[in-house]
Amino acid sequence: MAQLYPDASINGVAADGVVPQDTPVLDEGNAQVQDEHTSKQLEELLGDNADYDEEAEEKRYYRRKRLLTVKSVISASLGAAMTYGVYLGLLEMQLILHYDETYREVKYGNMGLQDIDNKMLMGINVTPIVALLYTPVLIRYFGTKWMLFLSSGIYALFVSTNYWERYYTLVPSATVIGAIIVPFWASIGNYITRMAQRYYEFANYKEENMREQRKLPRGASHKYIIIFQSIFFSVFHLCFVLSQFPVYFFLGRFLYGYNHTLCDVKQCGASIPHGLLPGFNVTVLHSLPSSVNLIYMESVLMLVALSSMLLILILCGSAYRPTEEIDLRSIGWGNIFQLPFKHARDYRLRCLSPYFLYTGFEVLFACTGFALGYGVCSIGLENLPYILTAYGLSACVFSSFALLFLRLPRQIPLLVGPLLHSCLLIGLFFWSPTPKDQSQSPVLYLVAVLWGIGSAMNKTSVSILIGMFYEDKGRQDFVFTIYHWLQALAIFIVYLWSGLPMMAKLGLVLASALISVISYLWMEHKISRKVQPRIPKIPSPRHKVKGYRYLEEENSDESDSEEEGNNSDIGEEDYREQTLQRRRTHKKSSCYEQAVDE
């Protein structure tokens, strides 16, 4: 039967149910060959690959990480430049159109566009005063990158409301813009600084600190902070150039010449008795742009605003790892709210506060007081975009001069801006240009270029200095919030003094520049004497706490400098070991207590 059913016999079962004892399942030679082939395949699959170079792969991986970091910085810079270029350009075009009396009467009748503009400017300038209360909470809740993305979306919302110019569209959107200015800029400063620190981590991945994810050595990332902040401001200052495109390509062909707009202007520059441009003609448009052309123009601006949002969303990497984001939030919302105020104990921030205010004064004075009171008043409204373009290009080019931080003492770049502006302001005190005199154009453009140099050095140097002073990644958003809140406060003060005489404005800006220099030098003097700053302590993250129980264990009122002072009699290594031991003991006890509670 086994001969009749060979398949059954091979499988070990005969047709009659008798199992053959001497029938082999496979030939021994074939089984040995198959075993060798299988083992060879397993060795190829699981064994060491002779062609695989672990060190080369690791090098390629971290090189790709560094390139992605640089791409994130450039993308964030372009996104911020495009966002602010659209915002400033639309605001400038809107204010020019609404100033024209004929445009108001023909387009909107008695709707009161000028009153709407005043309310809108009030919303933009007044709302940031309360931003210190909520900015760190928003950044910690949404994260740095997402706060940057949402802020750019608010600017895009402002552009969209201009399709339907009414009180209930323009004023609320302008108020939201004012509320988001400080979070937007605090997110940018924090993001660029974090990218510099991450670049250092990727460039020095072989070091023991990087492999164990320890705290960075002090001063290790300063070089990259200087480079990345210089790159950001070199790109960002292009926004002053981009903002003039609507006037270049659209509104400029509808403007009257300077002989018409300046026909009643008698005084310019330092001799202006009040306001910005007394006697300026109430009609500046010789023909009105059609509604269809305005919609086309606003659609282009809207497209650019959306492109900047996508640029930030897609090409910008995250500033923190997900676990770090969780740790930043889990210190407690009460501490997040309080810490910006507690940082005011640090004498470095107190001494830099006049400098922060001054940087807000000088930028807005350049775009309003000088550009209108000296530029437009003497050579006409049609030359305003060229003056602001000269200022923006100068600031863009000379932002790279902040790289002097790499070679020179930091005092030199930080003092160049205020001292240069002080010299220009003293010259403006004694200069009252003649209205409708085109021969003064070279001097005006020279002053705009020099002012741009000072602005570039101020903005870039202060951001670099903050990044160098406050390297703790859990502290940077608080410090950048204070910096940009004071800048916004300065812009509000400039909004309040818009009706003062030009001499008073020049005096206030000059006084702020000199006070900022004196205050900064006093800070450097205290640093040279090794005076320890009082920095509030950042509580360790507590992921499973109820209420404010963490305040009993780690209070942010205790400063890091005080803790270091109490342990000054022991070595640094011993102090670190004791700190780590305390944290391990605390974790063990807290886990034990939690188990007992359960």
Side-chain angles (χ1 to χ4, degrees):
M1 293 297 293
Q3 295 175 355
L4 293 175
Y5 300 98
D7 293 340
S9 65
I10 291 174
N11 291 324
V13 180
D16 55 358
V18 180
V19 180
Q21 300 296 324
D22 56 348
T23 304
V25 178
L26 287 173
D27 185 57
E28 293 182 359
N30 293 336
Q32 186 176 0
V33 171
Q34 187 172 359
D35 291 341
E36 291 177 356
H37 180 67
T38 304
S39 61
K40 185 177 181 181
Q41 286 181 336
L42 288 174
E43 286 180 3
E44 291 178 356
L45 181 63
L46 301 177
D48 294 334
N49 189 355
D51 297 332
Y52 178 75
D53 188 350
E54 183 178 357
E55 185 176 353
E57 286 295 328
E58 191 179 36
K59 186 182 296 184
R60 278 194 290 270
Y61 171 77
Y62 282 103
R63 183 171 66 244
R64 187 166 63 252
K65 284 287 189 180
R66 292 196 297 271
L67 291 175
L68 289 175
T69 304
V70 174
K71 182 198 69 176
S72 297
V73 172
I74 295 175
S75 301
S77 306
L78 284 173
M82 292 165 63
T83 299
Y84 251 69
V86 169
Y87 163 63
L88 295 176
L90 181 61
L91 192 62
E92 180 184 353
M93 185 177 71
Q94 186 181 24
L95 292 175
I96 292 174
L97 288 173
H98 293 179
Y99 178 81
D100 186 81
E101 189 177 44
T102 308
Y103 180 87
R104 296 198 307 270
E105 293 179 357
V106 173
K107 290 282 185 179
Y108 294 98
N110 58 356
M111 196 174 71
L113 281 180
Q114 280 191 316
D115 182 60
I116 292 177
D117 286 346
N118 291 332
K119 295 287 195 305
M120 188 176 66
L121 291 174
M122 184 183 296
I124 293 174
N125 291 290
V126 174
T127 314
I129 294 176
V130 296
L132 189 63
L133 302 177
Y134 57 80
T135 297
V137 176
L138 288 179
I139 294 175
R140 294 288 173 111
Y141 182 79
F142 290 107
T144 303
K145 176 193 169 180
W146 285 102
M147 193 67 243
L148 191 57
F149 170 72
L150 292 173
S151 301
S152 63
I154 297 296
Y155 283 94
L157 174 67
F158 175 74
V159 178
S160 66
T161 56
N162 283 266
Y163 284 108
W164 187 250
E165 295 180 314
R166 294 294 185 271
Y167 185 90
Y168 54 83
T169 58
L170 293 179
V171 176
S173 65
T175 304
V176 177
I177 283 281
I180 212 68
I181 284 176
V182 176
F184 178 73
W185 277 102
S187 301
I188 287 178
N190 192 18
Y191 187 81
I192 301 299
T193 306
R194 278 296 300 148
M195 287 294 108
Q197 292 175 335
R198 297 196 70 181
Y199 190 91
Y200 171 81
E201 294 172 5
F202 298 144
N204 300 272
Y205 62 92
K206 291 185 178 180
E207 293 185 4
E208 185 179 356
N209 289 330
M210 299 302 101
R211 292 188 178 276
E212 298 182 4
Q213 294 186 1
R214 293 181 183 173
K215 189 176 180 180
L216 296 182
R218 184 161 185 80
S221 60
H222 286 182
K223 179 176 74 171
Y224 302 111
I225 291 174
I226 295 168
I227 295 172
F228 282 13
Q229 290 286 359
S230 301
I231 291 173
F232 170 76
F233 282 103
S234 295
V235 177
F236 171 76
H237 281 121
L238 286 175
C239 71
F240 291 101
V241 181
L242 298 176
S243 65
Q244 304 310 309
F245 282 4
V247 182
Y248 283 142
F249 300 112
F250 175 68
L251 197 60
R253 52 187 173 174
F254 299 102
L255 295 176
Y256 271 118
Y258 64 91
N259 287 321
H260 174 81
T261 55
L262 301 176
C263 62
D264 294 329
V265 175
K266 307 299 181 186
Q267 294 172 317
C268 288
S271 59
I272 292 179
H274 59 84
L276 293 174
L277 272 173
F280 197 69
N281 204 320
V282 294
T283 57
V284 296
L285 304 174
H286 58 74
S287 60
L288 302 182
S290 64
S291 299
V292 175
N293 289 335
L294 283 172
I295 291 174
Y296 288 156
M297 187 67 223
E298 289 164 357
S299 299
V300 172
L301 295 176
M302 188 67 193
L303 180 62
V304 176
L306 292 176
S307 300
S308 68
M309 290 179 62
L310 293 176
L311 196 67
I312 294 172
L313 177 64
I314 297 173
L315 297 182
C316 289
S318 59
Y320 298 92
R321 290 185 290 269
T323 54
E324 290 177 323
E325 294 276 11
I326 294 171
D327 289 346
L328 291 174
R329 297 189 195 106
S330 61
I331 67 170
W333 299 109
N335 275 329
I336 294 173
F337 177 79
Q338 297 169 26
L339 279 168
F341 302 96
K342 292 179 179 178
H343 275 84
R345 301 166 178 168
D346 188 350
Y347 73 84
R348 295 175 297 180
L349 278 179
R350 292 201 303 269
C351 291
L352 285 173
S353 294
Y355 207 123
F356 299 159
L357 288 167
Y358 156 69
T359 55
F361 289 150
E362 57 95 359
V363 172
L364 206 59
F365 175 78
C367 297
T368 56
F370 171 75
L372 297 177
Y374 285 86
V376 174
C377 188
S378 57
I379 59 177
L381 183 63
E382 64 271 23
N383 289 303
L384 174 63
Y386 301 104
I387 295 173
L388 292 177
T389 299
Y391 169 77
L393 286 176
S394 172
C396 174
V397 171
F398 286 95
S399 291
S400 60
F401 273 42
L403 295 174
L404 294 173
F405 269 90
L406 296 171
R407 299 297 179 190
L408 299 177
R410 64 171 179 248
Q411 292 86 347
I412 294 177
L414 280 157
L415 293 177
V416 166
L419 294 178
L420 178 59
H421 284 168
S422 299
C423 296
L424 292 174
L425 288 166
I426 292 172
L428 293 177
F429 265 110
F430 302 99
W431 184 37
S432 297
T434 306
K436 298 182 289 186
D437 187 359
Q438 297 292 313
S439 63
Q440 300 168 113
S441 298
V443 181
L444 289 168
Y445 289 121
L446 177 62
V447 173
V449 169
L450 293 176
W451 199 281
I453 296 173
S455 295
M457 297 303 295
N458 291 338
K459 290 277 191 181
T460 315
S461 301
V462 171
S463 297
I464 290 172
L465 189 66
I466 291 176
M468 293 167 64
F469 277 170
Y470 302 94
E471 296 178 294
D472 186 356
K473 61 189 176 185
R475 194 181 303 278
Q476 291 161 359
D477 52 341
F478 300 121
V479 179
F480 278 105
T481 295
I482 294 171
Y483 166 37
H484 292 292
W485 177 75
L486 287 171
Q487 270 195 333
L489 185 63
I491 293 173
F492 170 66
I493 295 172
V494 174
Y495 167 74
L496 292 180
W497 80 32
S498 58
L500 293 178
M502 183 60 73
M503 294 286 284
K505 298 175 186 176
L506 293 171
L508 289 171
V509 179
L510 179 60
S512 68
L514 296 178
I515 291 172
S516 66
V517 169
I518 296 171
S519 180
Y520 169 70
L521 292 176
W522 176 247
M523 181 200 73
E524 291 289 355
H525 173 67
K526 295 184 76 171
I527 291 175
S528 65
R529 290 172 50 201
K530 297 186 176 3
V531 178
Q532 290 297 324
R534 188 184 178 192
I535 305 176
K537 187 176 181 180
I538 304 293
S540 298
R542 294 289 181 268
H543 300 298
K544 293 183 180 180
V545 295
K546 296 178 181 180
Y548 288 90
R549 205 183 301 174
Y550 57 86
L551 288 175
E552 300 173 2
E553 299 168 353
E554 279 193 280
N555 191 353
S556 61
D557 282 331
E558 182 184 1
S559 64
D560 290 341
S561 58
E562 289 176 352
E563 187 179 357
E564 291 174 2
N566 295 333
N567 297 274
S568 59
D569 55 339
I570 62 176
E572 185 178 358
E573 294 297 329
D574 296 336
Y575 171 65
R576 287 181 180 175
E577 289 297 329
Q578 291 180 12
T579 304
L580 291 173
Q581 186 64 31
R582 284 200 304 270
R583 289 180 180 175
R584 293 192 196 103
T585 306
H586 175 73
K587 286 181 180 178
K588 291 178 182 177
S589 62
S590 61
C591 292
Y592 174 75
E593 291 171 1
Q594 184 180 356
V596 170
D597 292 339
E598 291 177 356

